[in-house]
Amino acid sequence: TITAVASCADDRNNFLPDDSFGFNNKAGENVLTLPLYGGSYEIDVIKSGKGRNEGVVNITTSNFDLKNFNDQYGVEYYPLPDDQNLYSFSTGSLSFGVEDVTKPFTVSWDIAKVAEFMEQEPQNQYCIPVALRSEGLDVNDGRQIFILNLVTSTVTAEQTLLSRTYEWESEPT
């Protein structure tokens, strides 16, 4: 007689990291360049890890995180001021249950106000530095800031001088 015993053990504690929050950077980048004239963009926040905790993540802006990003990557993004009603978030926080994995929120901006502000110093790369904070769960390093780099379209006209080259089989007479 052969007796087989099978069991399903929950080994998540052995192999997965603790639950944490982060931006779902679909392209793996922290910077997304968007046309100013779009007016809004939906961002996903993910809760990854063992899936045993619930938590709340706060959505804010962070000039501190932006400065660290600029220093780390040798870039120079300038934050749009957060006190001039240039942009807003659809919510200030997201609540995740034990089973929740991803939740979206929307960043919206006033196209006319942002365009007017950006025209003051058009050489600057202005952005909305969206940041995540949580007291209950960690926020993943490298996924705590998402930079929405807003750009305007410009149309220019350029005249190109075309020249022709002729090849002669014999000297012209």
Side-chain angles (χ1 to χ4, degrees), residues 51-108:
R52 295 187 173 195
N53 297 298
E54 51 189 37
V56 175
V57 64
N58 297 313
I59 301 160
T60 185
T61 58
S62 175
N63 293 345
F64 176 78
D65 287 343
L66 179 62
K67 181 185 178 325
N68 288 343
F69 183 87
N70 283 342
D71 292 345
Q72 181 177 357
Y73 292 101
V75 293
E76 200 165 6
Y77 291 105
Y78 294 87
L80 287 172
D82 58 2
D83 61 352
Q84 295 184 21
N85 294 322
L86 299 178
Y87 60 87
S88 62
F89 303 135
S90 59
T91 184
S93 64
L94 295 170
S95 296
F96 283 76
V98 172
E99 300 293 322
D100 293 328
V101 176
T102 183
K103 289 195 174 189
F105 71 96
T106 301
V107 180
S108 302

